[in-house]
Each structure stands twice: as structure tokens, then as C-alpha cells.
Amino acid sequence: MKGRNVISRPIVLRLLVPLGGLIAWQLLATAAADVYFPPPLQIAGAAGQLDGPRLLAHDILPSLMRVLSSWTLGAAVGAVAGVALGRCQAAADCFELALGFLRSVPPPLLVPVFMVACGLGTTMELTTIVFGAVWPMLINTMDGARCVEPMLADTARVFRISRWRWIAGVVLPAAGPKIFAGLRVSVSIALILMVIAELVGSTSGIGYQLSLAQGSSDLPTMWVWIVVIGLLGYLLNRALLVAEDRMLLWHRRSK
């Protein structure tokens, strides 16, 4: 019985703040009667009137696939380039100015450029998301790849470990915490850019539905889609945290 209470206590504490926030939101929104900030019960009522299965198949799942595919591609490119630049100082020095400039350009500003170059549609959306998602991975992986302890490098040199075994067995595990930090930041950026790209260049997806609701002044439905975006971001972040806990168990135990 005592063990069961210990297990359930963190769940109760985690739900306490969200439930308190929803109750406060309901009371304040009802008292204010502001059309732009409907109470949660009104938003839930609007969600209940939507055609859930159709929206799931036609909008939510396509948006999720755009995020996951482009985020995976951006993360892979960022990880490979980050390891290469992190372990080769000469290459990092050569690309320093170019990378510093490109990662300083806000990706939403390039949406018109991608629209002209790729046209409206999936290609433009994926290009926008990949461009934004690649930088957190690249920078974090570079930083992690540079943090390999000199003793490990000397040991690998003594045992004549091949370059690929060195990268897979030493560099990537050492950079693992930084890589997962980059993954979590990049997936948030990918979700934001997905919505922006769909707002301007798509005929389906969460961003498109958000634009429709805003254009028709259907504010409760607009808030429904905002909540959907927030839930997707939370679930993706939680999935990465679970993967990090399992793959970097050694890192947590070494602290």
C-alpha cells in the first residue's frame, strides 16, 4: 500500500498544476466574457462538434508525417555534419562564418524564398522545416563531439580502433546528451515551422485548418487547433525523453 502511494504521488503532483490552470482559465474567461479567449468548456464543446476521424486522416496525420519526415532528415544531416565539424577543427574554422550567418537567419523569413524556389505544396513545407530543424542538431552535436575526454582518444589510438568504431563507440556516446538536447529543440522548431508553412502554402494540415478557423472568426475552433498543436509538441517531447532515458541510462547513473 505504501509503495502504491509513492508511485501515484508524482502523477498527482504533475496533474495538479494543469488542472489548476484549467480551472483558473475557466473562471477568468467566464468572468471576462472576452470573445478572443473562450473558456476551456467552450473550446471542448467546439472540439466535440468537429468531424474527428476525417480531420485526423486529412489534417492531423499529414501534418505529423511532414514534421517527422523533415525533422528526421534535418536531424540526420545536422548530426553527421556536427560530428564531422566537431572532430575536425580545420573544417569548423572554414565553415564558421557561413554557418554562423545561415543559422542566424530566422527560417520563417525564408518561407517566401522557398515558395518561389519550390512552389506551393509539400516540397516547400518540407524544405522550410528541414532548414529550421538542422541547426539545433548541428550546433549541439558539434559541441558534444568536441567534449570527448583526451584519455579516451589516447586509449583508442593505443588500441588502433578504426575511425568508424571510434565514432560509433566513443564520439557518439560522449555526445549523446547534447544530441538529445538538440533533438528536443529541433522537434519544437519543426512543429512551429510546420504550422507556418501550412498557413501560407497548403490545402490541408493543422496550419491550414487554423487559418480557416481564424478567417471565419470561429475562435473556439481556432483554440481547438492551438490545443492540438500543444498536445503534439508535448507528446513528441515526452517520446524523446523516454528514448533518452533508455539510451543514456549509463549517463544518468554516472552522475
Side-chain angles (χ1 to χ4, degrees):
M1 192 73 178
K2 184 176 180 180
R4 188 177 303 172
N5 291 334
V6 172
I7 294 173
S8 62
R9 190 180 305 160
I11 299 176
V12 173
L13 292 176
R14 289 174 183 175
L15 293 176
L16 195 60
V17 172
L19 289 176
L22 286 174
I23 293 172
W25 183 1
Q26 178 70 33
L27 295 176
L28 292 174
T30 302
D34 190 338
V35 67
Y36 294 104
F37 295 98
L41 289 179
Q42 186 178 352
I43 297 173
Q49 296 176 1
L50 296 176
D51 187 354
R54 186 187 69 82
L55 292 174
L56 179 65
H58 189 260
D59 295 294
I60 296 176
L61 289 180
S63 291
L64 187 59
M65 290 304 299
R66 290 180 189 122
V67 168
L68 293 178
S69 59
S70 51
W71 168 69
T72 301
L73 178 59
V77 172
V80 172
V83 170
L85 296 176
R87 297 309 304 170
C88 181
Q89 188 60 45
D93 292 339
C94 289
F95 286 96
E96 180 180 2
L97 292 177
L99 294 178
F101 173 79
L102 290 174
R103 75 185 183 93
S104 299
V105 178
L109 294 182
L110 295 177
V111 171
V113 178
F114 295 143
M115 288 174 63
V116 172
C118 305
L120 297 178
T122 303
T123 303
M124 181 275 291
E125 297 161 5
L126 298 182
T127 303
T128 303
I129 299 171
V130 169
F131 181 83
V134 71
W135 302 113
M137 274 300 296
L138 193 151
I139 301 303
N140 278 273
T141 305
M142 277 182 64
D143 192 21
R146 288 170 176 166
C147 294
V148 178
E149 296 181 6
M151 183 183 68
L152 294 177
D154 294 337
T155 303
R157 210 173 290 116
V158 168
F159 285 97
R160 297 181 180 179
I161 295 177
S162 66
R163 180 178 296 273
W164 295 113
R165 288 186 62 188
W166 154 254
I167 292 174
V170 178
V171 176
L172 289 180
K178 295 277 187 180
I179 290 175
F180 271 98
L183 286 172
R184 291 170 61 191
V185 174
S186 64
V187 77
S188 299
I189 293 175
L191 195 62
I192 294 170
L193 293 176
M194 176 270 293
V195 175
I196 293 174
E198 289 180 348
L199 282 172
V200 298
S202 181
T203 57
S204 66
I206 295 174
Y208 174 72
Q209 291 294 332
L210 186 64
S211 178
L212 285 182
Q214 183 182 13
S216 60
S217 298
D218 187 358
L219 298 178
T221 301
M222 184 186 74
W223 276 94
V224 170
W225 290 109
I226 292 174
V227 172
V228 169
I229 294 167
L231 288 175
L232 284 178
Y234 173 79
L235 292 175
L236 291 173
N237 185 66
R238 288 301 305 174
L240 285 173
L241 284 174
V242 171
E244 182 179 2
D245 285 342
R246 293 186 177 182
M247 297 182 68
L248 299 182
L249 183 61
W250 60 269
H251 179 73
R252 191 169 71 249
R253 287 177 175 175
S254 64
K255 290 184 178 179

